[in-house]
Amino acid sequence: MTSKPRKSKSPSSKQQTQTAKNSSARATAIDILLGRQAANTPVDGFFNKLTTQLSPRDRGFAKTLVYGVLRQKQYLDFIIEQFSKHPLKKMKPRTLVTLEIGVYQLLFLDRIPPSAAVHATIDTLKDAGQPRWLQGFANGILRNVTRKKDFLPTPEQAQTKGHPILNHPGWMIDRWQRQFGKKKSEDICRLNNTEPLLTLRVNTRVMPRGELVTAFTQQNIEAVNCTHSNLGIHLPSYTGMVTDLPGFAQGAFQVQDESAQLATVLLGSLHDKNRILDGCAGLGGKTSHLAQLVADHGEIIAVEPDQRRANLLLENLTRLQLNQQTTIVQSSLEAFAATRPQGFDAILLDVPCSGTGVIRRHPDIRWNRCPSDIAELQKNQIQLLTIGASLLNPGGILVYATCSMEPEEDEENIARFLAATPNYSIVDARTLLPATAHCFVDAQGLFKPLPTPTNDGFFAAALLYAPAL
C-alpha cells in the first residue's frame, strides 16, 4: 500500500499569481545545480553569485528547490526513471536537472498548483533555447507524474535492487554502516534528507535568553530553549528570513547549532584567560561566542586566510557588538605562527573537514566528497593541530574540533597527536559540559554527538598542555 510523499511548505504562497516570478527562480535554481555539478564544488558560491537579482521571496524559493533536489536526488531520479523511456545516464545535464526540479515541486511542495509547476518548469527549457521536442518530452514526464503521484512510493518506501533509497553515495553509506551499524546509518541518512532546525545562540552581552524568547513569542514565533546549551534557542516552525527576526539588527543572537555551541564550552571558563586564539575562524560563529564569554581584559585573535570570509567575520562581530576585543588576522595559521606571536592561554581549532556531520545543512557535501578527500584532509588537520599546539602556554587548553563523523579526522588525529606530543592529555569533556550533554561524550572523554533532530554531528577534544618541570 502506498501513500503520498510527505510534503513541505514552499515559501511561495501566491500560487498562480507568482508563476511568472517563480519561473526566474526555477531557472536560477537549475543554473545553480548545473554549476555545482560541473565544478563539483560547494553550492553556496553559485547560489550567492546567481541569486543577486532575485527578490527575497524568489531567492527563498530558489533555495528551497536547490536544497530540496540535493536532499532527494536519488529518489527524484528513481521516480523519473519510472516515466522515461530514455535512460537517465544519456540525458543532457540540463534536461535531468529540469526534470528533478519539476518532480520535486510535484511531490514535495504543496502550495504550488501542479499545472503551474509543470508549465513554469517547461518554460525554463523554452527560455534556455531547448528544442520543442525536448520540451514535449519533459512535459510528458511531468504530466504523467502529476496524474499518478498518489500511487507512487514515498521516499521511505522506495527501493532499488532491494535496498532503500537513502540519497547518499554508496561509499558513504558503506562507511557509516561499518561505523554505526545498518539501522543507525540509515537513520542518519534519512535525517540528512530533512530540513535542519533553526538554532540561535543568544548574545547575552545584548539581552538575556528569556528576554529574546519573549520577543519571539510576542510576534507569534515559536521559541524553545535548547536542552544542552544555556545560550541556545530553537525556532522549530520559523521559515522566514533570519534578518527579519526581532533582535537581529541589534546583535541579540547568532545562528549556530547547539553542538557547535557546546564545542566552545570545552575551553572552560575564559575569565582568567588573557589571550585566546581562534586559529580557523571562518565566518566567526565560534569567534563571537569566545568574544561573548571572555572577560573585559581578555584579547581574542581570530585567524582567517580568506578575504571574503574575513570581511564577513568583521561584519558579524560588528553587528553583535563584539569586535572591540577581537583582532582579525587575514593569514594562514602557519604564516601567523611564523611571526612568533606571544603565547595563548586558550586555543580553538575548528579545522577544515569533510563536513559529514552537517550534511543536513549543506546537502551538496554528500555529492561533492569522495573517499580520497578524507586522507587529504587528515594531513592538513594534523598540521594545523601541531602548529596550534606550538602557540599554547603551559597550563592552557586547546580544543580541536570538526563537523565530521569520520574517525580519521577525529579520534585518530587525536591519537596520532598525543603519541607525538607527550606533554598533552585529554581533558574529559564531562568535566566541562552540562550534565545533559554527557550523553555525547565517549569513554575517552571526547565530545562526539551524532546527528539528531536538534543537533548536528560534531567532534571535539579538549587537550591540556602540561609540560614536565
Side-chain angles (χ1 to χ4, degrees), residues 315-441:
E315 287 181 17
N316 284 332
L317 290 171
T318 302
R319 178 182 64 83
L320 294 164
Q321 305 175 49
L322 295 170
N323 57 317
Q324 296 302 312
Q325 293 170 258
T326 306
T327 300
I328 299 173
V329 178
Q330 190 192 335
S331 166
S332 68
L333 185 61
E334 183 179 17
F336 173 70
T339 67
R340 299 185 179 276
Q342 180 185 343
F344 293 89
D345 303 311
I347 296 176
L348 175 64
L349 294 177
D350 185 8
V351 300
C353 68
S354 63
T356 55
V358 293
I359 287 177
R360 183 171 39 157
R361 297 189 186 280
H362 304 282
D364 55 316
I365 285 175
R366 71 190 85 185
W367 310 122
N368 291 343
R369 291 290 177 212
C370 65
S372 61
D373 291 341
I374 294 174
E376 289 300 314
L377 287 162
Q378 185 185 43
K379 293 177 185 177
N380 184 51
Q381 291 156 355
I382 281 289
Q383 182 181 22
L384 290 170
L385 179 53
T386 303
I387 293 170
S390 71
L391 302 175
L392 189 64
N393 290 331
I397 288 184
L398 182 153
V399 169
Y400 169 89
T402 78
C403 51
S404 167
M405 302 187 299
E406 312 314 312
E408 296 93 327
E409 301 179 82
D410 298 338
E411 56 264 39
E412 288 185 19
N413 270 346
I414 297 302
R416 289 175 61 183
F417 172 75
L418 293 177
T421 320
N423 290 329
Y424 276 80
S425 60
I426 296 172
V427 179
D428 191 332
R430 281 170 289 231
T431 65
L432 299 162
L433 295 173
T436 57
H438 290 183
C439 57
F440 298 138
V441 182

Side-chain angles (χ1 to χ4, degrees), residues 24 53 82 86 90 114 140 150 175 186 190 256 260 264 294 296-297 304 335 369 373 379 408 450 468:
S24 64
Q53 302 303 314
Q82 313 307 306
H86 192 71
K90 294 186 177 180
D150 291 347
R175 165 180 275 269
E186 289 186 6
R190 295 195 188 284
Q256 188 178 46
T264 306
V294 73
D296 291 338
H297 61 79
E304 170 52 49
R369 291 290 177 212
D373 291 341
K379 293 177 185 177
E408 296 93 327
L450 292 177

